[in-house]
Amino acid sequence: MVDRNPSIFKTPPRSLQKRHSSSALSGASPFLTPSRIPSRNFRSSHKKPRMTPSPIVLRYPSSGCQTPLKSGGGGGGDRFIPTRRGMNMELVRRNLLSEEKRTKGRNEDDEDAVEEKAKQSPAETPIQKEYKRRMMSSLCNIPLDVLDEDAMPRGLLSFNHSGSGVMNAIMDENNVPNGRSPWRTNRIRIEDPYQHDSLRVLQQFESLDDSFATAVRHSDIITRKIPSQPCRILDAPDLVDDYYLNLISWSDDNILAVALAHCVYLWNAGTGEIQHLATIEGEEDYVTSVAWCTVTGQSKYLAIGTNSNVVQLWDTHASKLVRTLRGHTGRVASIAWNQHWLSSGGRDSLIIQNDVRSANPIVARYRAHEQEVCGLKWNEDGTALASGGNENYLCIWDAKMSSRQRDSPFTSYVAPRLLLKQHKAAVKALDWCPFNRGLLASGGGTADRTIKLWNSNSGAMLKSIDTGSQVCSVLWSKHQRELCSSHGFSENQLILWKYGNRSSLTKVKELTGHTARILSLACSPDGSTVVSAAGDESLRFWNVFGSAPQTSRSVLPMGDLTFGMPTIR
């Protein structure tokens, strides 16, 4: 045996080599080296020499793997112990289970029947074979290069101490740059941090054609028929054609609120009845925004923002003005509810947090925008607020900062947690993703024309899609992984997008019919229908998101919401 580690093995003096190689060390493994050289009277000594195992290492010249051998009786180091460090246990376990299912109940008599049945079964198409290869790669976490066309691995053991999980020895070593594993070289990092809700992420490799993945996405998209025409059209005369306003809102009670110049109307989607709720007094005053209360059991309250810098709270069941909230010095173009908090954004570049239960409603003032705040949206759990402004800013605010300012009234303004300036035009279109926590979609105006996806935790921009038109509004589906956007100049269309892996957005269909820019979007309570309000003074209802799920999501009751003392107008 050749000495591979001179620093470990010490050659004894020539005078003692014969004694050392004699039977004096009987019973010891040939791979054990004494810690000291035995004396001449070794046989007559009462003390046994201490034997220390030597870390003998076998090296494979072809791969460089090092496998330590264990000492012991019955042959000792002559026994080869393979390492399981480079073995793909998921693949091995799957093969064992599959073999048990295939061989269970099989005997020699029915082998002919099995073969005959296999011959009669239709042959797999190329796309089915590729699908099996992709599924095997995703489930067992191995690269496609190691699988043959029948989705069977070419090897299980790896003679590489890095433990990549596949047999690298079967690959051409000349094609491996810097001696690294081809898997580690060609694998693309998953940049989307919101893939935790998926069972497995479909691995993609630079050396493979993406035509199959594209075909799979399109096949998933076209499974549901999307009507090209609206299911209903309503006239909306005197609808203000202003990009910065938010003039429609759909409540949990299936009632649509529409602001038409000085008036607010309610349309019951179940019965088709139309109710006149309020008329704003003043020649130069008009409605600039509407928003239904989102507190469970309190959806009868409607917030109305006006050009006279105030927010009115109305009880729609009693058709009564409950309260007037003041504090802005410019028109209130955007409103958003977060339980008992009512957030309002104005032309004065301020965002004011109001607690409608308190006699002194103002809780906090947010300042970061330099021009009109035209977009406001709270996330589903009410911990973060997204705001967009005419100066192209997108801000993320923490709700807990409002509580701190309420405890410390001497603090003047709250600063945003994130200030994002990647948009090149006004940011009005905002919506939080309902199935990926922290994922935010935003759209820019005419000079920007992009839809951007954001990681609200880190502020990283995950994706930016050039839509070719002014983005007026975006809306996520409640039960599909889809996004609907409305546009202005120059197409005036709706676009349905499919959200896929790595934060990709694939255009599914364009819906046309409006003759002016589509200012706002709202979704029905069941999540199936989208209503669009456009500058052509019409409302169109589209069944773009498909049927609602069978089971509705349960919401915990928040209790009764009581407004404070009304302010005298």
Side-chain angles (χ1 to χ4, degrees):
M1 183 174 181
V2 181
D3 184 6
R4 298 283 185 177
N5 198 343
S7 61
I8 298 177
F9 298 99
K10 302 297 184 179
T11 303
R14 183 169 299 179
S15 60
L16 298 178
Q17 284 183 1
K18 184 175 181 180
R19 295 179 180 273
H20 182 267
S21 60
S22 63
S23 60
L25 299 179
S26 60
S29 172
F31 296 98
L32 297 179
T33 303
S35 60
R36 62 185 179 86
I37 303 301
S39 60
R40 295 181 180 271
N41 56 351
F42 172 74
R43 290 180 178 272
S44 61
S45 177
H46 296 284
K47 295 183 179 181
K48 296 182 179 180
R50 293 179 297 174
M51 312 299 287
T52 303
S54 174
I56 294 180
V57 178
L58 293 183
R59 299 178 183 269
Y60 295 89
S62 60
S63 61
C65 178
Q66 299 180 359
T67 305
L69 297 180
K70 297 181 180 180
S71 61
D78 294 335
R79 183 177 53 158
F80 173 72
I81 302 177
T83 177
R84 295 185 177 89
R85 182 179 302 174
M87 184 180 294
N88 191 327
M89 300 306 297
E90 295 180 2
L91 183 59
V92 174
R93 187 180 299 108
R94 180 188 180 279
N95 290 340
L96 291 176
L97 296 177
S98 301
E99 185 66 23
E100 289 179 1
K101 293 181 180 179
R102 287 195 299 266
T103 58
K104 185 177 181 180
R106 180 184 299 180
N107 50 40
E108 298 179 356
D109 298 335
D110 58 354
E111 286 185 358
D112 298 337
V114 173
E115 294 180 359
E116 185 66 22
K117 185 177 180 181
K119 292 179 181 179
Q120 295 178 358
S121 61
E124 292 183 340
T125 62
I127 192 171
Q128 288 176 338
K129 291 183 178 180
E130 184 65 18
Y131 177 79
K132 288 177 61 178
R133 292 180 68 247
R134 298 265 179 159
M135 184 63 70
M136 174 70 77
S137 174
S138 178
L139 291 177
C140 297
N141 197 19
I142 59 178
L144 287 171
D145 297 340
V146 185
L147 300 176
D148 57 14
E149 60 179 5
D150 295 328
M152 297 302 295
R154 298 188 181 95
L156 295 178
L157 292 179
S158 172
F159 296 106
N160 191 338
H161 64 279
S162 60
S164 60
V166 296
M167 185 175 179
N168 296 331
I170 65 175
M171 301 183 181
D172 188 5
E173 297 181 358
N174 298 328
N175 295 331
V176 182
N178 301 327
R180 293 181 296 176
S181 169
W183 187 14
R184 298 180 182 271
T185 303
N186 294 335
R187 186 176 181 181
I188 300 176
R189 290 186 178 181
I190 303 301
E191 299 178 356
D192 188 0
Y194 302 103
Q195 296 297 336
H196 57 274
D197 59 340
S198 302
L199 295 179
R200 287 282 184 177
V201 181
L202 181 63
Q203 304 294 338
Q204 296 180 354
F205 300 90
E206 296 176 355
S207 59
L208 299 177
D209 186 11
D210 290 336
S211 59
F212 174 75
T214 305
V216 171
R217 288 196 300 267
H218 283 287
S219 64
D220 181 58
I221 290 171
I222 63 178
T223 54
R224 186 182 78 254
K225 184 178 180 180
I226 303 172
S228 301
Q229 299 297 327
C231 60
R232 184 187 294 268
I233 300 177
L234 298 178
D235 291 332
D238 298 330
L239 183 72
V240 181
D241 187 5
D242 193 331
Y243 172 80
Y244 303 99
L245 306 185
N246 298 270
L247 302 177
I248 59 174
S249 181
W250 209 328
S251 73
D252 294 337
D253 295 333
N254 205 16
I255 298 177
L256 179 66
V258 184
L260 303 178
H262 305 273
C263 303
V264 176
Y265 292 88
L266 306 179
W267 179 73
N268 192 320
T271 62
E273 297 179 356
I274 299 177
Q275 174 189 354
H276 173 265
L277 177 64
T279 299
I280 305 300
E281 300 177 358
E283 296 182 358
E284 298 182 357
D285 199 4
Y286 57 91
V287 181
T288 55
S289 57
V290 291
W292 286 100
C293 180
T294 57
V295 179
T296 304
Q298 305 297 328
S299 56
K300 64 179 181 179
Y301 294 105
L302 179 68
I304 300 175
T306 66
N307 191 48
S308 59
N309 315 335
V310 299
V311 178
Q312 297 180 359
L313 300 181
W314 284 77
D315 185 349
T316 59
H317 289 181
S319 299
K320 177 182 178 182
L321 176 63
V322 177
R323 190 168 189 182
T324 300
L325 303 176
R326 306 180 185 275
H328 286 284
T329 58
R331 70 176 186 180
V332 183
S334 55
I335 299 175
W337 284 88
N338 180 17
Q339 300 301 327
H340 54 274
W341 281 0
L342 177 61
S343 306
S344 58
R347 181 174 279 180
D348 54 3
S349 71
L350 279 180
I351 301 174
I352 297 181
Q353 294 282 18
N354 294 278
D355 188 346
V356 297
R357 304 171 301 177
S358 175
N360 299 319
I362 297 179
V363 176
R365 291 179 173 89
Y366 295 173
R367 177 180 289 278
H369 294 281
E370 300 176 356
Q371 297 184 28
E372 184 173 13
V373 181
C374 52
L376 281 179
K377 196 73 174 183
W378 282 97
N379 63 351
E380 190 173 3
D381 55 6
T383 58
L385 173 67
S387 64
N390 191 33
E391 73 293 321
N392 315 339
Y393 290 173
L394 172 62
C395 299
I396 308 295
W397 314 80
D398 283 338
K400 56 185 179 181
M401 297 302 296
S402 300
S403 302
R404 292 180 181 179
Q405 189 184 26
R406 188 173 188 177
D407 297 337
S408 302
F410 298 102
T411 305
S412 57
Y413 297 105
V414 174
R417 179 170 58 86
L418 292 174
L419 178 59
L420 309 173
K421 302 180 181 180
Q422 283 85 337
H423 280 287
K424 300 179 181 178
V427 183
K428 176 196 174 186
L430 295 172
D431 199 19
W432 294 89
C433 182
F435 53 83
N436 275 342
R437 178 182 174 88
L439 179 60
L440 174 67
S442 63
T446 306
D448 185 81
R449 305 180 304 177
T450 64
I451 295 178
K452 299 183 186 299
L453 301 181
W454 305 88
N455 179 355
S456 63
N457 297 320
S458 63
M461 184 175 63
L462 306 176
K463 202 71 174 181
S464 180
I465 304 295
D466 189 356
T467 63
S469 302
Q470 176 191 37
V471 183
C472 301
S473 182
V474 292
L475 192 64
W476 286 99
S477 172
K478 296 180 179 180
H479 51 269
Q480 303 285 347
R481 298 174 69 89
E482 297 171 353
L483 176 71
C484 184
S485 59
S486 67
H487 302 269
F489 180 81
S490 59
E491 300 296 334
N492 304 323
Q493 85 279 35
L494 277 76
I495 301 179
L496 181 64
W497 306 85
K498 180 71 174 182
Y499 177 82
N501 293 330
R502 302 178 64 204
S503 299
S504 62
L505 285 179
T506 304
K507 183 185 295 186
V508 179
K509 193 168 186 177
E510 292 190 10
L511 304 173
T512 58
H514 284 289
T515 58
R517 59 183 175 183
I518 305 174
L519 302 172
S520 301
L521 294 179
C523 189
S524 60
D526 61 358
S528 61
T529 305
V530 173
V531 58
S532 57
D536 56 5
E537 298 183 348
S538 68
L539 301 176
R540 296 175 184 257
F541 297 80
W542 314 82
N543 291 328
V544 295
F545 288 145
S547 60
Q550 298 296 330
T551 57
S552 59
R553 181 180 54 185
S554 60
V555 181
L556 296 177
M558 300 301 297
D560 191 14
L561 184 148
T562 304
F563 294 100
M565 298 175 58
T567 304
I568 300 178
R569 300 177 63 251

